[in-house]
Amino acid sequence: MTTIRVLAAVLALLLAGGEIARRIAVPGGFFPGIFPLAMDEFAIAALLGWAAWRGSAGALLAAWMACAGLLLGLLAANAAPLLGGAPKPGAATYTIALSVLLAVAGWAAWRSGRGLRG
C-alpha cells in the first residue's frame, strides 16, 4: 500500500503544479483563468493528497476513482480533435499522456481495492 500512497502524493503534486504552470503560461496571467477553471484539478489533487496522508484503502480507492473520472473526461475532450473535431495544437501529446495517466490511476484503484478485501 506504500507504493500507492507515494504515487498518490506524487500525482497530487504533479496535478496541482501542472495546472498552476499551465495557467501561468496562458495569456492574461494566472488569476483570470484559475477560478473556476482549475478547481477540478485542485480538488482531485487535494483528495489524492489527503488519501495519501490518511493511508486507508477506502480513501485511496475513492481518490483514485475520482482521479480516473477526471482523467477520462479530459481524455475525451483532448481526443475529440483526433477523431474529426476542431483541430487543437498538441492534441496527440495530451491524449497519449492522459491515456498513460488513466492506466496508472486504474491500476492504483485496482490495487487499493485489493486492500479492502484483506
Side-chain angles (χ1 to χ4, degrees), residues 19-34 37:
E19 192 61 24
I20 289 170
R22 185 170 79 104
R23 295 296 170 183
I24 287 174
V26 170
F30 183 72
F31 284 107
I34 196 89
L37 297 176

Side-chain angles (χ1 to χ4, degrees), residues 20-72:
I20 289 170
R22 185 170 79 104
R23 295 296 170 183
I24 287 174
V26 170
F30 183 72
F31 284 107
I34 196 89
F35 299 105
L37 297 176
M39 291 299 105
D40 53 352
E41 282 90 352
F42 289 144
I44 298 299
L47 185 60
L48 281 168
W50 172 78
W53 173 73
R54 182 131 165 36
S56 73
L60 285 164
L61 179 61
W64 282 113
M65 291 306 290
C67 180
L70 172 73
L71 291 169
L72 192 56

